[in-house]
Amino acid sequence: MLIALVSAITATGLAYRESRNAVLERRQDAVRTDFGNRVGQVAADLSVPPDEVSLQRFATSVAEGLGDTLVVAEYRSLSASSDASADRTRITRSLREAVRTRNRMSFQRVLRNDSPYLVVGTPVTFADGPPSGLDVYAVTSLRAEQEDTAAILAAVRDGLVPVVLLAVALALLAARTVLRPVRELGRATRRHAAGDLGSRVAVPKGRDELAEFARDFNRTAEALQTSVAELREQEERARRFVADVSHELRTPLAAMTMVATVLDEDAGRLPPDAARAARTVGTETARLARLVDDLMEMSRFDSGAARLSPSEVDVADTVRGTLALRGWSGRVRTRLPDGVRAVLDARRVDVAVANLVGNALRHGAEPVTVTVVAAGGLLTVEVADRGPGLAPDVLPHVFDRFYKADTARTRSEGSGLGTAIALENARLHGGTIEVANRADGGAVFTLRLPWRREAEVEA
């Protein structure tokens, strides 16, 4: 549209300029020719030097053959005009100087009172004689030519409007043809980003770039959908495998735990080597049981089967119960305000806090501090230790499953799923867990949960 508009304006502007110049040049040539011929005819009967009467007669005689034209004749200090009342200021000083210095016909276009005039001046010369000193000027109106050029401009303007409208229509049609498939591709891309991998675009007719682009997009979308479907199927098979294995291990593990408990109780009556082996069996059986339980819990999170059982609880009592149940009350400092009640799944909060505190005790350094703060619609449980903290490259992976900060350490006391389970329990409440290093040393885990009370839930 822009190219068409600029082209139309440029073409019409050039056409107007050329037409205007042609009109003016034709008029100028006609006036100069007629004026020169008339001066030559009348000057043949003029005696030089002229007096005032003969100069007046000369100016009048020249004007008689030129129609509505003012003629002014000047000889030294004498001046005569074909119309004594006419305005002689239209003859400018620059034109007079050009006529006298160049000794040939000169012309100039002037504007007086918004009216254009053509002023032509010429010296009167005689064959084989010196300059006579007589200069003659003709002043003729260009109003008719001005009206003609104004009509040309109006015609150009009137002709430009339909050209511009046509250019706009063609541009919109072309833009719609080009942009409609592009917009459709954009919408399909946004649907893909939102998870609708089955979205496709209509392929335009032809074999231009847009059609090829649409075909490539559909082929890419098809390949992506197939790959994602395969990945999801593999993930589902892996999830079912873990859940099935964990479920199948629970029964033999229960029997093994009972046997290990009996052996552990009788270890004092066994020889030293047998006692040590019995205690090792008991420890490893308990660890394997925890691992199976954690795997079962993660499979429930992955399958979406995990559900909350919320009830209003006293947060301080819940945290104290978590520490007391695991024998950590004497090893952990607490800042637990009384009277803070919230609607939570107490079992899942217990699991999350226990995992964070256990992690701090195993991998950090005492004293470990647990702080509860309820403000601004958020319930915050902060677990901090005084250990060396976490390396910067470890922080992004703290909640990864089975992640080990120390690759040389092949085993850990826990299952390797503790922080991951804690994070999933927080998300199930609509919260999260953040980890950072303290400025004065140690790591700090912050559990943030929405602070809702029973009255607010009922409302």
Side-chain angles (χ1 to χ4, degrees):
M1 181 179 68
L2 182 61
I3 292 174
L5 181 60
V6 171
S7 301
I9 293 176
T10 302
T12 51
L14 291 174
Y16 166 72
R17 188 187 69 179
E18 294 300 321
S19 300
R20 176 177 177 275
N21 290 341
V23 170
L24 293 176
E25 288 176 1
R26 184 171 61 250
R27 176 60 172 164
Q28 289 168 184
D29 292 343
V31 170
R32 291 169 63 189
T33 301
D34 293 344
F35 178 58
N37 292 337
R38 187 60 182 165
V39 169
Q41 293 173 2
V42 177
D45 299 330
L46 178 66
S47 298
V48 179
D51 55 18
E52 186 173 352
V53 174
S54 61
L55 190 62
Q56 179 66 49
R57 188 184 305 115
F58 174 75
T60 303
S61 298
V62 172
E64 287 176 353
L66 299 177
D68 188 16
T69 298
L70 171 67
V71 176
V72 177
E74 297 179 349
Y75 181 76
R76 297 180 181 176
S77 61
L78 297 178
S79 177
S81 171
S82 61
D83 184 356
S85 62
D87 181 13
R88 300 187 187 184
T89 61
R90 290 171 287 188
I91 305 174
T92 64
R93 178 179 299 178
S94 59
L95 180 61
R96 285 189 173 95
E97 292 178 353
V99 171
R100 290 168 185 168
T101 57
R102 298 175 185 174
N103 198 33
R104 60 184 175 83
M105 182 179 290
S106 300
F107 69 93
Q108 187 179 46
R109 287 197 296 268
V110 297
L111 189 67
R112 288 290 185 273
N113 300 323
D114 296 330
S115 297
Y117 294 91
L118 175 65
V119 183
V120 181
T122 184
V124 177
T125 58
F126 298 95
D128 300 328
S132 64
L134 175 62
D135 299 327
V136 188
Y137 299 93
V139 180
T140 184
S141 175
L142 294 178
R143 181 173 294 278
E145 286 71 20
Q146 184 184 43
E147 293 174 353
D148 290 342
T149 55
I152 293 173
L153 179 60
V156 167
R157 185 175 57 249
D158 294 341
L160 183 62
V161 172
V163 171
V164 172
L165 294 178
L166 179 61
V168 170
L170 293 175
L172 291 177
L173 180 61
R176 183 179 179 184
T177 303
V178 173
L179 294 180
R180 183 170 54 186
V182 174
R183 292 194 185 100
E184 187 176 350
L185 282 167
R187 287 192 292 267
T189 303
R190 288 190 290 273
R191 289 195 295 269
H192 273 255
D196 181 13
L197 299 181
S199 177
R200 300 291 185 272
V201 296
V203 179
K205 296 180 180 179
R207 301 188 60 84
D208 58 7
E209 290 81 359
L210 283 174
E212 290 298 324
F213 185 32
R215 293 188 187 95
D216 291 342
F217 178 87
N218 287 340
R219 284 194 290 266
T220 303
E222 182 68 28
L224 178 62
Q225 185 179 22
T226 302
S227 299
V228 170
E230 292 176 353
L231 289 173
R232 287 175 177 171
E233 185 178 356
Q234 293 174 6
E235 183 181 4
E236 182 61 26
R237 285 199 300 266
R239 187 183 298 118
R240 284 199 304 267
F241 175 77
V242 172
D244 292 343
V245 169
S246 301
H247 181 75
E248 293 299 326
L249 287 175
R250 298 190 75 176
T251 300
L253 270 175
M256 290 172 62
T257 301
M258 292 176 60
V259 173
T261 302
V262 172
L263 290 174
D264 189 58
E265 291 175 353
D266 294 339
R269 297 191 293 271
L270 296 175
D273 291 342
R276 187 164 49 253
R279 292 189 179 95
T280 301
V281 169
T283 301
E284 293 301 320
T285 301
R287 181 178 178 276
L288 183 58
R290 287 196 303 273
L291 176 59
V292 170
D293 289 339
D294 288 346
L295 287 173
M296 289 291 293
E297 185 74 0
M298 289 305 301
S299 68
R300 282 191 286 269
F301 284 125
D302 291 341
S303 63
R307 295 291 183 269
L308 288 176
S309 298
S311 61
E312 188 174 73
V313 298
D314 187 291
V315 178
D317 289 345
T318 301
V319 174
R320 290 191 190 99
T322 297
L323 300 178
L325 181 63
R326 293 159 179 84
W328 295 337
S329 298
R331 302 175 59 188
V332 177
R333 298 177 182 178
T334 59
R335 298 189 185 97
L336 309 176
D338 294 327
V340 178
R341 302 187 65 81
V343 176
L344 303 168
D345 187 326
R347 183 187 71 83
R348 295 190 179 279
V349 172
D350 170 80
V351 171
V353 173
N355 279 319
L356 297 180
V357 174
N359 190 67
L361 290 172
R362 284 192 299 272
H363 305 297
E366 298 184 21
V368 174
T369 304
V370 178
T371 304
V372 173
V373 177
L378 280 179
L379 178 64
T380 302
V381 181
E382 183 181 279
V383 179
D385 65 69
R386 292 291 179 174
L390 297 168
D393 59 327
V394 172
L395 285 173
H397 305 288
V398 167
F399 299 101
D400 293 353
R401 301 175 187 183
F402 299 111
Y403 178 75
K404 295 178 182 179
D406 184 2
T407 55
R409 179 168 53 86
T410 58
R411 296 182 53 120
S412 63
E413 297 180 20
S415 65
L417 296 171
T419 54
I421 290 175
L423 180 60
E424 293 295 339
N425 278 312
R427 288 174 175 170
L428 204 59
H429 282 85
T432 188
I433 300 179
E434 300 169 359
V435 60
N437 287 321
R438 294 161 55 101
D440 53 351
V444 56
F445 287 79
T446 305
L447 169 64
R448 302 184 191 277
L449 302 176
W451 184 24
R452 294 189 292 265
R453 283 153 286 192
E454 189 171 14
E456 296 174 355
V457 174
E458 290 176 355

